[in-house]
Amino acid sequence: ARRAAELQATLERVADAVEMPTLLVPRRRRTKLLEKPSSNDAAAGRRYLESIRTRIADEQRLRSTAEREASRLRETVDEFIRDEARSFTAAGVMSIAHLVSREAVARYRAAMAAFEPGEGLRVVRGEPRAPYSFASAQSAVRGGHDSSSPSRSG
């Protein structure tokens, strides 16, 4: 009975709604791969660890920037969405899924078109699709979603 109630709640949440996928993609290339220092170099270990520290700091800055922009985007479309799921990929891409009522899709798209990303990111908007990211009872709890690429850029 408990599982039936969970499934019913999930179905009610996604009823008459679509998923609108969006990616926030960095405009610049990621930092180059780490070069392994020569083992003959006395400071090789330190230089290698410093390069790892730099790469991690760059990744943290990129994630923080993407989170800020995703929050700005959420503010832009908040009145049109029922739910949101986000994930951040190792490639530095913020994948966002919005659960949007079918009747609000046109207004959602208009609001998205007006959104201007900042801080070195570009927006890739996808077409409406089945609400995969919101279809399981667990996705409502953990906020996970299908992060496959949207189909068009904007």
Side-chain angles (χ1 to χ4, degrees), residues 4 142 145-146:
R142 72 174 191 277
H145 74 99
D146 168 21

Side-chain angles (χ1 to χ4, degrees), residues 10 14 18 20 28 38 43 47 53 57 62 64 66 74-75 77 80 82 85 88-90 96 101 125 127 133 141 146:
T10 299
V14 300
V18 295
M20 298 297 293
R28 67 174 175 82
S38 168
R47 279 206 331 270
R53 181 178 59 194
L62 182 57
S64 177
R74 167 92 190 218
E75 290 173 10
V77 298
F80 308 115
R82 293 184 192 175
F88 189 76
T89 70
I96 305 167
S101 296
R125 297 173 187 91
E127 295 297 319
S133 301
V141 175
D146 168 21

Side-chain angles (χ1 to χ4, degrees), residues 13-20 80-82 98-108:
R13 187 166 67 118
V14 300
D16 295 319
V18 295
E19 178 174 322
M20 298 297 293
F80 308 115
I81 65 174
R82 293 184 192 175
H98 288 139
L99 185 63
V100 180
S101 296
R102 289 182 191 275
E103 65 183 27
V105 169
R107 291 175 296 175
Y108 171 88

Side-chain angles (χ1 to χ4, degrees), residues 65-148:
T65 297
E67 288 287 352
R68 271 193 314 277
E69 289 303 298
S71 293
R72 282 187 54 240
L73 177 61
R74 167 92 190 218
E75 290 173 10
T76 301
V77 298
D78 196 48
E79 68 184 281
F80 308 115
I81 65 174
R82 293 184 192 175
D83 201 357
E84 177 183 80
R86 296 181 190 174
S87 66
F88 189 76
T89 70
V93 175
M94 174 65 72
S95 179
I96 305 167
H98 288 139
L99 185 63
V100 180
S101 296
R102 289 182 191 275
E103 65 183 27
V105 169
R107 291 175 296 175
Y108 171 88
R109 282 182 162 168
M112 283 291 290
F115 178 76
E116 290 292 330
E119 304 199 42
L121 294 171
R122 66 184 176 92
V123 177
V124 180
R125 297 173 187 91
E127 295 297 319
R129 63 182 180 190
Y132 301 115
S133 301
F134 306 95
S136 75
Q138 289 181 339
S139 69
V141 175
R142 72 174 191 277
H145 74 99
D146 168 21
S147 62
S148 59

